[in-house]
Amino acid sequence: MSFLRRLSRNRLGLLGLIVLFVVVLLALVTPILPLQDPNATETADRFLRPFSEGHLLGTDHLGRDLLSRLLWGTRLSLTVGFAAAVIAATIGAAIGIVAGYFGGTTDNVIMRGVDMLMAFPYILLALAIVAALGPGLLNALIAVAAVNVPFFARNIRGITVGLAHKEWVDAARLSGMGHARIILSEILPNVVPVIVIAMSTTVGWMILETAGLSFLGLGSQPPTADLGSMLGEARAALISAPHTSVVPGLMILIVVMSINLLGDGVRDALDPRLRSGALTRPRPATMVSRKSVPKGEGRGILALQDLETQFHVGRRVYRAVGGVSLHVEPGECLGIIGESGSGKSVTALSVMSLVASPPGVITGGAVRYRDRDLVGMRYLDLRHLRGDRIAYIFQDPLATLHPLYRVGDQLTEAIRVHHRVSGREAWDRAIDLLRQVRIPNAAERANSYPHEMSGGMRQRVGIAMALANDPDVIIADEPTTALDVTVQAQVLSILDDLRRDRGLAIVFITHDFGVVAQLCDRVAVMYAGKIVEQGPTHVVLNDPAHPYTRLLIQSVPELGQGRRDLVSISGLPPPVEDLPPGCAFAPRCPKCEPDCTVAPIPMLGSDHHAARCIHPETPLREAAE
Amino acid sequence: MTAALRLTDLSKTFPVGKRLFGPPKGRVRAVRPVTLIVEHGETLGIVGESGCGKSTLARMLVGLIPPSTGTIAIDGRAFDNSDPAAFGKRVQYVFQDPISSLNPRKSIRQVMEAPLKHLHGMNRAERATRIAEIFDLVSLRQEFLERYPHEFSGGQAQRIGIARALAAEARILILDEPVSALDVSVQAQVLNLLNRLKTELGLTYVFISHDLAVIEAVSDRVVVLYFGSVVEVGPADAIFARPRHPYTQLLADSAPRVGRPLEAPEARETELPDPLNPPPGCPFTPRCPRATEICRAEDPPLEAKAPGQLAACHHPL
Amino acid sequence: MGAYIVKRLISAIPVLLGITVIVFAIMALIPGDPATAILGSYATPENVERLNRDLGLDRPAWQRYFVWLANMLQGEFGRSFRLNRPVIDEVLERFNATLILAGTSFVLCTIFGILAGTVSAARQYGWADKAITFAVLLGISIPSFFLGMMMILIFAVNLQWLPVSGMYAIYGGGDLPDLLWHLIMPATALAVVATGVVARLSRSAMLEVLRQDFIRTARAKGVPERRVIWRHALKAAMVSIIPVLGIQAGFVLSGAVYIEIVFQWPGIGRMLVDAILTRDILLVQGGVVFVAACYVLFNIVVDVAQALLDPRIKT
């Protein structure tokens, strides 16, 4: 149902569908239409022009009615093209699924055979098959289908290999299912959309190929004609009677184009990545659409003021960041802690307008760096600040480093996009940076590619890159989450030393209270897109005011407390596209009172320690300047 | 009484760079010979960092990977997964990534029905009753049954994964990092659920995790893996409080803890040894502060260093 | 890298052998007696038997295969009975013409395809993207032989800008400018479809890459957007574009068959079609094996290019 709705929303796809529908309908009713005999020759009426009396589209070199031949030919071409596609897809998919699912030797033997067939330019194989079987439309169909089987087999095998290693296949096996049942009931439903996509995008191609063989005189034999052989026969009279070529040629074009339009529509409607917008190009900077700009307050080197970032997907609005205010001083480390979906990463990326857009939009607030507003700044100015004054360290260093450049080149580039220095000089500086993050044999390691390094070493490269231009602020987005604990400890100590040596301001995003406790001076706790508590780390950790903070800290198991039941928070965070009117934590809060759910709760307390709670765990003192 | 699980010299070697003919280019010993016993009603925790072989070990226990050497006995009977329908009733598995362990094109009811149909041959009415019972047990709502996996959060999906494992009515559950994909608040919910189920149903758990605190909170005994070998085994309350192997000590010291100052527990910048070309002797030698000549030459055997506590170290703490 | 090339060349040997087996097997399916076809009206039973013996056709199929293979390895592809000249001479001469045509088209489709796809992705949903997408759709939907015919009609017959057909002018031609002059239309017609396919693929590969985390890293470093697109993203996208270029080369070679017929280009495709229609089996066998072998070698070049680009491929 939703598939058809998505398909109909694609205007070009719909156009293709309508055109194709008309053509197929015409082809279906051709036998009952009052047409002349397509094979009746009339030498006196040779090469009649279109719109001649009795021959709407004129006649060909034997005086046969072109309209009639065109419709019969279309019927034939469509039939053969679809048949070839179905045959190739069925056989190819069967081969591909078997090879991909069983893997090992089965896969090896089958795929070597497929590779062998793909080692021919396809027409050679088709020509050879037709040469062996003799010219004829059925033989052309066999040839085209046979030639396309390897393409399907390879494509479907690739998909199946991916599926066969999924955990749900293992789960099915442990549920007592045998191989045949797993293939049919678990794998096949996931492969069918891919087969449909592959078919819908190749039917047009198959029609072209069979038409091509007929054009060469190897397909349909006179007097019956498909569109290809009509063109082939008309070629001799191309100059004297061009309409005999144009008519079948245009028909092929219309048929194939409508099929391709429809095929694209089908692909777009079936491909989940397109649905989620995963195949849209993110702009160089996040889109901004805000009504007003808050006035600067001159706090900290970097300050966020009521920052709001949303994701607009279709008609839905996800309020990922719903009014975040915080600031960081030089030499200070501010931790932002929260669970997944709390908006902490989006907050971090919003600072330098790095939120993927579409669908991300910054809808309110400001980000002040030395009193300049970074939100909505000219791209050129923003680019000059990125990596130079404010730098990032991201979570997964394998995905965040370019896989095809040496790490030395990536560091060199970071320097040279901001400073006019020679390549040699930048390279030396890159090696120096690698030394500063304690990478052994730095000069040698600069020549390595990211995949040749371990996770911990890669993250050091990530840190070195952030340090390249001696920035004022580093925003670290879960930089140690992908690392093992022993490596995490090493990386954290590097970060801590750098901050103390250079007076760096660090904004450190994490979900780990242990890390925050060890590294950060102050901490902000985020929940459902808002900061719910903010204050010095030791105060927040030892004396949390917000019930969420307290429960979250208690639910973390800590080493050395032995076997026990853990404190847990019931329920789930609210979806950010549908937030409750009052406190977002109220539905899960053990201390919830009726007044919690009425209106948005403001931050209460002082600059020193504040929480978004009207029934806090510990009394919050008002500003006591 | 027979042990729930008895592993004898179980190991796994993966060939690297397979060729069509002839031997592979190299071999990686993912798990070196392991001998272990899991008692009935026990929770055995297996802890280690990435690449230590803990997932390979877990997958061997449920027959998803055939072992290279050694044997597994379940309830005293030799391991036999030739008949998936019989095997599935003895051991079940809970996956790390709850969402990807559910087929995206199957409703939760279809997922839940598979083990009941294929392992227990129940008819439609029996299945419905049983699913209702299990869902009650893991506190899932009945209306979830008609939904599809993408509609669930990680915590809910993991409950469904546990429910599926329970449906098989196996007495032994292998839990492969069951909470590491979850947020802490949800992680606690799932851990508590697992604890409750174990007491109520008398289950035996093999619980694999990289998180020391989680392992300590759920386990009776703990196995520490490093580079494919068991380096230490001991009671959960003793092994982290009084580790005997320097690696266990390093792990315990590395976990970030509230109230402890930040310092790198290792002075040197170290990496795991190359699995294709492992050093002779104890694999921890290059990182070990106590390493001597003998460590570089001989692989230490796993021996008792304290009551109930075994370590593979020439110079235990 | 040298070792990698040698390794790839060695691994091509079984593929090449497989190709000869497939071709031989298909040709062995051909009904009728080649001797009868060769002798035509001289086909008395005695003559047929003698010729069969002379050609070794009375021996079992597997023996004939090895004889044929051994001969081919010595460069002896047999004689075309219809043209009455050695197959290898004819094939080499014709392949040269095909190479000029298909090579030009391949270069055109690679350059324009990648350019168009990259621009299209960088300007996703902008007017340039829409125009390119439409042109691509038209390109992959039009039969190349029809396109060629229409080009002849417009540019040669009506406007008289370009020659109708052939490779050289009949009188006074034969030099390079003349060849290029004759090459414009067929090479363009042949390139259109392949350009469309390459452009499509490049666009989706670029869109895929532009979502990757390392692109965000490049932007966070302050790399100018143009450099992000044309260096960072395109280089990564080439990893998935290059293998398809290998397949596209096969499509260009295939399309050349039609174009050679439409433009009377004296290439190997036309030769093969004629040989099939006249049942000149040795010529078909020799031609198919030769072209397939060249294609296999070309794909090794593609693999080497891929290995040079991507350090993650073990060399």
Side-chain angles (χ1 to χ4, degrees):
Chain A
M1 199 52 231
S2 61
F3 163 71
L4 289 178
R5 209 179 315 128
R6 274 196 300 275
L7 183 61
S8 65
R9 221 183 287 145
N10 183 329
R11 254 181 289 158
L12 284 176
L14 198 62
L15 179 71
L17 182 66
I18 292 168
V19 173
L20 187 66
F21 179 76
V22 172
V23 173
V24 169
L25 194 70
L26 277 177
L28 284 176
V29 300
T30 299
I32 55 167
L33 287 180
L35 292 167
Q36 301 172 27
D37 179 354
N39 300 326
T41 55
E42 186 61 69
T43 24
D45 287 344
R46 293 172 67 212
F47 293 131
L48 284 183
R49 299 280 143 175
F51 309 114
S52 315
E53 212 191 324
H55 301 287
L56 191 58
L57 293 178
T59 56
D60 69 359
H61 60 293
L62 295 176
R64 297 175 290 195
D65 181 50
L66 265 183
L67 177 64
S68 171
R69 285 181 75 72
L70 179 74
L71 289 180
W72 282 98
T74 307
R75 191 176 150 89
L76 206 52
S77 282
L78 280 176
T79 315
V80 173
F82 277 109
V86 170
I87 293 171
T90 312
I91 300 177
I95 293 174
I97 290 178
V98 168
Y101 178 79
F102 288 103
T105 318
T106 319
D107 183 31
N108 232 323
V109 170
I110 292 179
M111 291 322 288
R112 297 264 160 158
V114 166
D115 284 346
M116 208 79 87
L117 290 177
M118 288 184 82
F120 289 91
Y122 76 88
I123 201 149
L124 287 189
L125 205 54
L127 286 180
I129 292 172
V130 174
L133 301 179
L137 195 53
L138 190 64
N139 294 341
L141 190 160
I142 293 172
V144 169
V147 164
N148 279 289
V149 164
F151 288 91
F152 277 98
R154 190 179 254 201
N155 188 350
I156 300 300
R157 175 195 170 265
I159 304 291
T160 311
V161 167
L163 294 174
H165 289 99
K166 293 273 192 220
E167 294 189 327
W168 44 260
V169 173
D170 290 336
R173 209 161 290 157
L174 293 171
S175 294
M177 293 165 119
H179 290 309
R181 203 185 300 249
I182 290 178
I183 288 181
L184 290 177
S185 80
E186 302 280 323
I187 303 273
L188 196 59
N190 285 284
V191 177
V192 165
V194 184
I195 300 176
V196 171
I197 290 173
M199 249 178 73
S200 64
T201 48
T202 45
V203 170
W205 181 243
M206 304 246 190
I207 290 178
L208 282 183
E209 281 176 64
T210 36
L213 287 178
S214 289
F215 174 80
L216 298 177
L218 303 172
S220 74
Q221 298 297 311
T224 49
D226 68 350
L227 294 172
S229 58
M230 282 177 77
L231 252 178
E233 288 168 12
R235 195 170 67 83
L238 173 64
I239 295 169
S240 57
H243 70 280
T244 51
S245 303
V246 172
V247 166
L250 275 184
M251 190 50 144
I252 299 180
L253 180 60
I254 290 171
V255 169
V256 175
M257 190 137 172
S258 63
I259 289 176
N260 283 341
L261 280 173
L262 179 63
D264 287 0
V266 168
R267 185 197 59 202
D268 292 359
L270 283 179
D271 193 334
R273 288 178 311 173
L274 284 163
R275 244 178 283 160
S276 59
L279 279 184
T280 47
R281 163 203 60 114
R283 289 155 190 259
T286 313
M287 287 187 282
V288 176
S289 149
R290 50 182 181 172
K291 295 197 183 71
S292 61
V293 183
K295 257 209 215 87
E297 291 162 343
R299 298 176 68 184
I301 186 160
L302 181 75
L304 278 59
Q305 300 170 284
D306 290 321
L307 186 72
E308 281 180 29
T309 305
Q310 304 179 343
F311 292 102
H312 295 175
V313 182
R315 255 165 292 163
R316 284 199 202 168
V317 175
Y318 298 85
R319 296 169 204 282
V321 180
V324 163
S325 300
L326 48 82
H327 68 274
V328 59
E329 304 285 348
E332 185 187 39
C333 181
L334 170 74
I336 302 182
I337 193 164
E339 297 181 275
S340 48
S342 63
K344 57 190 191 300
S345 281
V346 181
T347 305
L349 292 173
S350 299
V351 170
M352 276 279 136
S353 292
L354 286 169
V355 179
S357 174
V361 189
I362 296 177
T363 49
V367 176
R368 305 246 170 224
Y369 165 72
R370 295 188 191 278
D371 282 329
R372 293 171 75 190
D373 187 5
L374 302 178
V375 175
M377 183 184 254
R378 277 201 318 149
Y379 168 71
L380 204 62
D381 297 335
L382 187 66
R383 177 180 91 63
H384 282 303
L385 290 176
R386 280 179 179 178
D388 189 41
R389 297 296 89 219
I390 301 177
Y392 279 87
I393 304 170
F394 295 109
Q395 176 173 348
D396 175 4
L398 185 58
T400 52
L401 293 175
H402 198 294
L404 307 181
Y405 287 110
R406 296 180 298 172
V407 297
D409 288 329
Q410 303 194 41
L411 284 167
T412 309
E413 183 187 38
I415 299 165
R416 294 189 73 188
V417 293
H418 294 295
H419 299 281
R420 286 183 174 278
V421 292
S422 71
R424 186 71 250 165
E425 209 177 314
W427 184 267
D428 290 342
R429 171 123 177 77
I431 291 171
D432 191 42
L433 285 166
L434 291 176
R435 274 198 205 103
Q436 289 175 38
V437 292
R438 299 185 214 149
I439 288 183
N441 305 329
E444 225 171 276
R445 293 305 274 205
N447 287 307
S448 303
Y449 289 94
H451 72 277
E452 297 166 339
M453 306 179 111
S454 68
M457 287 299 149
R458 279 196 290 264
Q459 194 55 292
R460 286 167 206 235
V461 174
I463 296 174
M465 199 135 79
L467 293 173
N469 297 302
D470 230 334
D472 297 325
V473 183
I474 285 188
I475 298 173
D477 187 4
E478 305 229 24
T480 57
T481 304
L483 305 178
D484 279 323
V485 277
T486 54
V487 181
Q488 165 172 295
Q490 295 170 0
V491 170
L492 288 179
S493 84
I494 292 173
L495 268 179
D496 198 40
D497 291 351
L498 288 169
R499 159 171 84 109
R500 293 189 197 288
D501 295 349
R502 303 183 174 215
L504 267 173
I506 297 183
V507 179
F508 194 97
I509 286 99
T510 181
H511 65 271
D512 190 330
F513 273 109
V515 173
V516 164
Q518 290 185 319
L519 190 70
C520 300
D521 306 308
R522 281 189 304 127
V523 60
V525 184
M526 280 192 78
Y527 185 77
K530 287 196 165 84
I531 291 178
V532 294
E533 182 159 2
Q534 189 164 193
T537 307
H538 62 96
V539 176
V540 173
L541 288 185
N542 298 331
D543 232 353
H546 201 286
Y548 173 67
T549 315
R550 180 180 61 85
L551 286 168
L552 195 60
I553 292 171
Q554 286 175 350
S555 63
V556 182
E558 231 182 287
L559 199 56
Q561 295 181 348
R563 212 182 138 159
R564 67 209 175 270
D565 258 3
L566 300 160
V567 173
S568 69
I569 309 178
S570 61
L572 293 168
V576 283
E577 72 268 32
D578 184 23
L579 292 170
C583 171
F585 187 63
R588 304 172 74 185
C589 185
K591 299 182 70 181
C592 177
E593 306 276 341
D595 54 347
C596 292
T597 56
V598 182
I601 314 290
M603 282 297 264
L604 299 171
S606 63
D607 268 3
H608 181 66
H609 182 201
R612 204 177 283 282
C613 184
I614 44 180
H615 304 287
E617 305 273 337
T618 53
L620 283 159
R621 263 158 293 153
E622 288 301 322
E625 310 270 316
Chain B
M1 196 176 132
T2 51
L5 275 173
R6 179 187 294 272
L7 325 181
T8 316
D9 281 335
L10 194 67
S11 80
K12 181 69 196 178
T13 307
F14 288 109
V16 177
K18 265 196 210 165
R19 301 183 237 205
L20 193 55
F21 305 104
K25 284 167 198 151
R27 292 168 195 280
V28 171
R29 299 181 74 181
V31 177
R32 288 150 189 257
V34 170
T35 301
L36 268 181
I37 289 174
V38 186
E39 301 292 349
H40 281 285
E42 178 184 46
T43 297
L44 179 75
I46 298 183
V47 71
E49 295 182 286
S50 51
C52 73
K54 55 188 190 299
S55 272
T56 308
L57 181 60
R59 297 169 79 80
M60 281 196 283
L61 296 182
V62 284
L64 292 174
I65 297 178
S68 300
T69 67
T71 56
I72 305 169
I74 305 171
D75 290 327
R77 280 183 291 172
F79 185 89
D80 173 22
N81 68 341
S82 55
D83 177 10
F87 180 74
K89 285 190 265 187
R90 305 175 70 191
V91 183
Q92 276 295 328
Y93 195 79
V94 175
F95 293 87
Q96 170 170 9
D97 183 346
I99 302 280
S100 76
S101 71
L102 299 171
N103 189 336
R105 292 189 185 269
K106 296 230 157 176
S107 72
I108 301 308
R109 182 181 294 283
Q110 287 172 305
V111 168
M112 286 300 298
E113 285 195 326
L116 298 176
K117 206 174 353 180
H118 304 302
L119 295 176
H120 295 284
M122 291 185 178
N123 65 30
R124 182 182 271 275
E126 287 170 334
R127 292 199 299 258
T129 329
R130 185 75 188 118
I131 291 174
E133 280 172 29
I134 298 169
F135 260 46
D136 229 25
L137 205 58
V138 297
S139 325
L140 281 170
R141 293 206 294 273
Q142 299 289 328
E143 69 250 32
F144 287 179
L145 285 170
E146 311 311 324
R147 297 198 195 160
Y148 285 84
H150 68 265
E151 298 174 63
F152 293 97
S153 70
Q156 288 167 331
Q158 195 55 290
R159 277 168 199 268
I160 294 168
I162 293 169
R164 170 174 57 192
L166 292 179
E169 288 183 47
R171 309 241 63 80
I172 304 169
L173 249 56
I174 314 294
L175 304 141
D176 185 4
E177 302 253 13
V179 295
S180 60
L182 309 178
D183 275 317
V184 278
S185 69
V186 181
Q187 164 180 309
Q189 291 173 13
V190 172
L191 289 177
N192 291 343
L193 170 69
L194 284 171
N195 253 341
R196 199 189 77 219
L197 289 173
K198 189 183 149 183
T199 349
E200 282 178 20
L201 305 174
L203 301 172
T204 304
Y205 287 164
V206 175
F207 192 107
I208 289 144
S209 177
H210 67 278
D211 187 327
L212 268 60
V214 167
I215 282 285
E216 191 198 44
V218 299
S219 307
D220 300 307
R221 276 194 314 140
V222 176
V223 173
V224 182
L225 283 182
Y226 180 74
F227 203 62
S229 315
V230 174
V231 296
E232 188 159 3
V233 186
D237 45 9
I239 194 163
F240 298 125
R242 291 179 303 280
R244 303 292 164 172
H245 196 286
Y247 176 65
T248 316
Q249 174 84 54
L250 173 66
L251 269 184
D253 287 350
S254 299
R257 212 180 297 182
V258 179
R260 188 169 63 191
L262 186 61
E263 57 181 35
E266 281 177 285
R268 278 166 296 171
E269 309 305 322
T270 46
E271 290 184 60
L272 281 175
D274 178 7
L276 272 173
N277 186 19
C282 172
F284 189 61
T285 311
R287 301 173 71 175
C288 187
R290 307 163 73 88
T292 58
E293 268 320 303
I294 186 171
C295 303
R296 274 179 273 276
E298 271 177 54
D299 215 353
L302 192 63
E303 292 166 340
K305 307 289 178 188
Q309 199 166 349
L310 293 80
C313 186
H314 292 298
H315 310 290
L317 299 161
Chain C
M1 191 45 72
Y4 178 72
I5 295 172
V6 171
K7 211 170 74 184
R8 287 296 290 113
L9 283 173
I10 290 172
S11 73
I13 291 172
V15 177
L16 289 171
L17 282 178
I19 283 173
T20 58
V21 171
I22 292 173
V23 171
F24 187 83
I26 293 176
M27 291 299 142
L29 288 176
I30 295 183
D33 184 0
T36 318
I38 293 171
L39 290 168
S41 53
Y42 300 100
T44 62
E46 301 84 65
N47 283 347
V48 167
E49 200 182 315
R50 186 146 29 103
L51 188 64
N52 269 341
R53 202 170 334 111
D54 292 350
L55 293 173
L57 290 174
D58 52 344
R59 282 188 271 175
W62 66 270
Q63 283 186 9
R64 273 186 287 147
Y65 168 73
F66 282 109
V67 171
W68 177 62
L69 187 66
N71 284 337
M72 258 194 323
L73 290 176
Q74 294 160 24
E76 179 54 60
F77 282 65
R79 283 183 83 80
S80 158
F81 74 86
R82 192 172 53 88
L83 303 167
N84 197 21
R85 80 183 282 211
V87 165
I88 188 70
D89 293 358
E90 176 74 5
V91 165
L92 283 178
E93 191 182 309
R94 295 296 200 112
F95 189 66
N96 190 34
T98 298
L99 209 57
I100 293 173
L101 173 64
T104 312
S105 292
F106 180 72
V107 171
L108 288 179
C109 85
T110 304
I111 295 173
F112 287 104
I114 293 174
L115 273 180
T118 308
V119 169
S120 200
R123 301 260 173 276
Q124 196 188 16
Y125 304 133
W127 66 265
D129 182 31
K130 284 183 182 150
I132 289 172
T133 307
F134 183 76
V136 160
L137 195 72
L138 201 64
I140 59 173
S141 302
I142 198 163
S144 56
F145 41 92
F146 179 56
L147 178 65
M149 286 161 71
M150 290 302 106
M151 285 173 83
I152 292 178
L153 213 51
I154 295 169
F155 297 107
V157 178
N158 280 350
L159 298 171
Q160 306 213 331
W161 287 352
L162 293 163
V164 173
S165 63
M167 195 166 166
Y168 294 104
I170 300 169
Y171 301 108
D175 52 357
L176 188 64
D178 186 41
L179 173 63
L180 292 177
W181 190 239
H182 280 80
L183 190 58
I184 295 177
M185 271 207 294
T188 311
L190 182 53
V192 162
V193 178
T195 307
V197 177
V198 173
R200 248 178 181 223
L201 178 93
S202 307
R203 178 178 186 268
S204 62
M206 282 292 290
L207 288 178
E208 189 92 18
V209 166
L210 281 170
R211 280 264 143 185
Q212 303 276 323
D213 284 352
F214 58 80
I215 294 299
R216 189 184 59 194
T217 308
R219 286 175 169 160
K221 281 201 292 193
V223 176
E225 189 61 16
R226 191 177 303 168
R227 197 178 157 90
V228 170
I229 302 272
W230 293 98
R231 291 284 200 103
H232 290 248
L234 187 55
K235 184 162 185 176
M238 284 307 283
V239 171
S240 38
I241 296 174
I242 284 182
V244 174
L245 290 180
I247 296 173
Q248 277 311 302
F251 278 69
V252 170
L253 267 179
S254 301
V257 174
Y258 305 119
I259 296 296
E260 283 169 13
I261 285 178
V262 170
F263 287 93
Q264 312 269 315
W265 191 269
I268 204 161
R270 241 176 88 199
M271 182 202 86
L272 282 174
V273 173
D274 290 344
I276 287 169
L277 290 172
T278 54
R279 307 222 140 197
D280 191 345
I281 293 173
L282 282 179
L283 192 56
V284 174
Q285 275 184 341
V288 169
V289 167
F290 184 83
V291 176
C294 291
Y295 181 55
V296 169
L297 292 181
F298 179 78
N299 269 305
I300 292 176
V301 175
V302 170
D303 285 353
V304 171
Q306 181 82 339
L308 283 174
L309 173 75
D310 190 346
R312 289 168 296 182
I313 293 175
K314 291 237 171 67
T315 55

